[in-house]
Amino acid sequence: MPPAVALPDRKPRSADAPAALAGLRVIDFTRVVAGPACTQTLGDFGADVIKIEQPVRGDDTRSYEHAELGGESAAFLSLNRNKRGMVLDLAIPQAREVARALIDKADVVVENFSSAVMEKYGLDYPAVSSTNPGLIYCSISAYGRTGPFAWRSGFDPITQAESGFMSLNGFADGPPVRTGPPIIDLATGMSACNAILLALAARQRLGRGQHVDVALFDIALAMTGFSGMAFLMNGKNPSRTGNSPNDSPTVGVFEASDGPLYVACANDRLYQRLVTDVLARPDLLTDPRFSSRKARSTNRVQLRSILAEILASERMDVWISRMNQAGVPVGRVRNVEQAFDAAEVRARDRICRIPHPTAGSIPNIEPSITMQLTPTVEPRAAPRLGEHTFAVLREKLELTDHEIEALRRVGAFGPVDPTIPA
């Protein structure tokens, strides 16, 4: 079954364009969201990412329920592009030996197992760095790999809740709200990718690798941003302000006659443009209640009511045209369908379709980073479970068919088929 939304083929990259991370060897033990998001970016820019999954079930996101094409879930396909996939049962000693051999030849290892799992298998940083001192070893976890809370497992919404981040989302008269997309997971993946690139730059200067520790809780705490900083400065607990930062009367969602707009007049200059050039209401600038930012904040209810009444009198297109001409930031409040059909998406080739071995083709959301000299590589769909196991063993470890068969028979790649003689 083809994708429900018709998409264009991807425009090919220049054949002679170099890849930023070509030659970088990454062993990826991650699953779910934060880790795969990190390693996908490395793969998008040319790293050879080998994703190791447990046999039979694989990454949990393979069974997520959002949508499915060709036997693969939307979640898995969205997070595992440009990787090669293999299966290893790390409970089997011979499989651990294979994993160790792959790590010995790698530049980067990324893992997000529960605490002490890699140590139990003899694949933790102290164990593997002794034979590969240049290795960058990135551990992603909920609460870090050190300290009294390292044992705790956790997921994006838990760290949103515990960090105070969730308390900042929602409206003042409602409960705290988690973000729809797993923003802490995704931000942690981005931060882990940044950390790996920083460690690679350091290795180039210092000649040695290091252990990189990235925790969801730390990222969530940092993402309280200036609200967290303000609390540390004034001791006041920040409140929820809905769609208007600091409860600003000139920033937030307003209803035009045919739908919602988001207007962002965050300073005096933009407010002047709004009331004079767009709304033709200069009295809203000279009125003492609204003549300064402080006055507008004090009289926010009255001002917002006036603005809402004016904006409700005309269609979105009219207001957008006027605000764009005046340089006032404005945008439509779109649903996902409207956003993916928008001119901004089409003009920058943000979505396309790419080949898939069982679905024929699948949708592809392009990486959000654009580089002129070293663009992303041609996208390759997320691997089927264990798709490249034997090819990786032959290429990376130079194993023979006989040696691979011996591994299969001891269960290194999952349960042994009893109908095949040992």
Side-chain angles (χ1 to χ4, degrees):
M1 175 183 292
V5 178
L7 298 170
D9 291 330
R10 187 181 193 267
K11 294 181 179 179
R13 78 195 298 270
S14 174
D16 60 352
L21 300 178
L24 188 73
R25 296 157 297 182
V26 180
I27 307 301
D28 177 6
F29 290 95
T30 70
R31 66 261 191 263
V32 192
V33 180
C38 165
T39 53
Q40 177 168 266
T41 300
L42 299 175
D44 284 341
F45 286 91
D48 182 11
V49 179
I50 298 171
K51 181 180 178 75
I52 297 178
E53 298 177 75
Q54 60 182 341
V56 183
R57 190 177 67 187
D59 190 323
D60 288 347
T61 58
R62 287 185 180 273
S63 60
Y64 278 17
E65 65 281 358
H66 304 88
E68 181 181 301
L69 272 178
E72 300 290 0
S73 75
F76 185 79
L77 291 173
S78 72
L79 293 164
N80 291 283
R81 179 181 54 232
N82 288 326
K83 304 176 187 181
R84 292 194 285 173
M86 64 182 298
V87 290
L88 286 176
D89 184 350
L90 297 179
I92 304 298
Q94 292 90 334
R96 295 197 294 273
E97 291 173 7
V98 169
R100 178 64 182 263
L102 290 170
I103 291 171
D104 283 346
K105 294 176 176 288
D107 296 293
V108 177
V109 165
V110 190
E111 60 89 12
N112 64 345
F113 283 113
S114 298
S115 178
V117 169
M118 293 297 269
E119 184 178 1
K120 179 180 71 172
Y121 291 139
L123 301 174
D124 55 310
Y125 178 70
V128 300
S129 61
S130 61
T131 53
N132 187 355
L135 182 69
I136 310 302
Y137 191 108
C138 179
S139 295
I140 299 172
S141 61
Y143 296 93
R145 289 291 187 234
T146 60
F149 303 105
W151 60 272
R152 290 188 64 190
S153 60
F155 293 95
D156 174 293
I158 302 299
T159 56
Q160 285 197 37
E162 291 199 334
S163 65
F165 180 88
M166 189 182 292
S167 77
L168 303 172
N169 300 325
F171 291 87
D173 58 353
V177 179
R178 72 168 180 85
T179 61
I183 190 64
I184 303 302
D185 269 335
L186 295 172
T188 299
M190 294 176 191
S191 296
C193 185
N194 286 342
I196 289 167
L197 298 177
L198 289 169
L200 287 167
R203 185 178 74 175
Q204 190 171 21
R205 290 189 304 107
L206 305 176
R208 57 180 293 184
Q210 60 181 296
H211 189 201
V212 174
D213 182 0
V214 184
L216 272 72
F217 182 83
D218 297 349
I219 300 299
L221 193 71
M223 286 184 65
T224 61
F226 45 73
S227 294
M229 180 62 76
F231 164 74
L232 294 175
M233 293 171 66
N234 61 26
K236 296 179 181 178
N237 200 35
S239 59
R240 293 182 291 284
T241 57
N243 290 317
S244 300
N246 298 321
D247 209 15
S248 168
T250 55
V251 178
V253 176
F254 293 87
E255 291 287 338
S257 63
D258 58 346
L261 296 172
Y262 197 100
V263 180
C265 287
N267 57 44
D268 289 335
R269 182 183 70 258
L270 293 173
Y271 177 72
Q272 179 176 351
R273 293 177 187 173
L274 174 68
V275 298
T276 58
D277 300 339
V278 177
L279 305 181
R281 287 289 303 272
D283 59 297
L284 296 178
L285 187 62
T286 57
D287 188 321
R289 296 175 299 167
F290 313 131
S291 59
S292 69
R293 182 171 181 148
K294 184 176 181 180
R296 292 193 293 274
S297 179
T298 300
N299 299 288
R300 65 173 69 89
V301 174
Q302 298 97 309
L303 178 56
R304 189 168 184 89
S305 177
I306 293 170
L307 295 177
E309 183 178 358
I310 297 171
L311 292 169
S313 68
E314 191 56 89
R315 294 176 296 108
M316 281 192 289
D317 286 345
V318 172
W319 293 127
I320 288 175
S321 177
R322 291 181 187 176
M323 291 187 200
N324 284 338
Q325 290 176 11
V328 174
V330 63
R332 302 172 187 271
V333 180
R334 295 167 171 152
N335 60 30
V336 173
E337 179 180 2
Q338 292 167 332
F340 275 76
D341 192 43
E344 295 91 336
V345 174
R346 295 191 300 273
R348 287 181 59 80
D349 299 317
R350 292 294 84 202
I351 55 176
C352 61
R353 64 179 181 180
I354 59 175
H356 186 272
T358 56
S361 68
I362 60 170
N364 182 57
I365 302 173
E366 286 290 300
S368 55
I369 300 169
T370 301
M371 299 181 72
Q372 177 265 326
L373 178 63
T374 55
T376 57
V377 299
E378 291 286 355
R380 186 174 65 244
R384 291 168 292 165
L385 183 61
E387 179 179 352
H388 305 102
T389 301
F390 296 167
V392 167
L393 295 176
R394 293 188 184 101
E395 175 191 327
K396 298 298 183 184
L397 303 184
E398 299 181 347
L399 297 189
T400 65
D401 289 348
H402 177 74
E403 290 168 321
I404 292 172
E405 175 61 14
L407 287 168
R408 187 195 68 78
R409 290 186 176 187
V410 298
F413 312 131
V416 180
D417 188 342
T419 65
I420 300 177

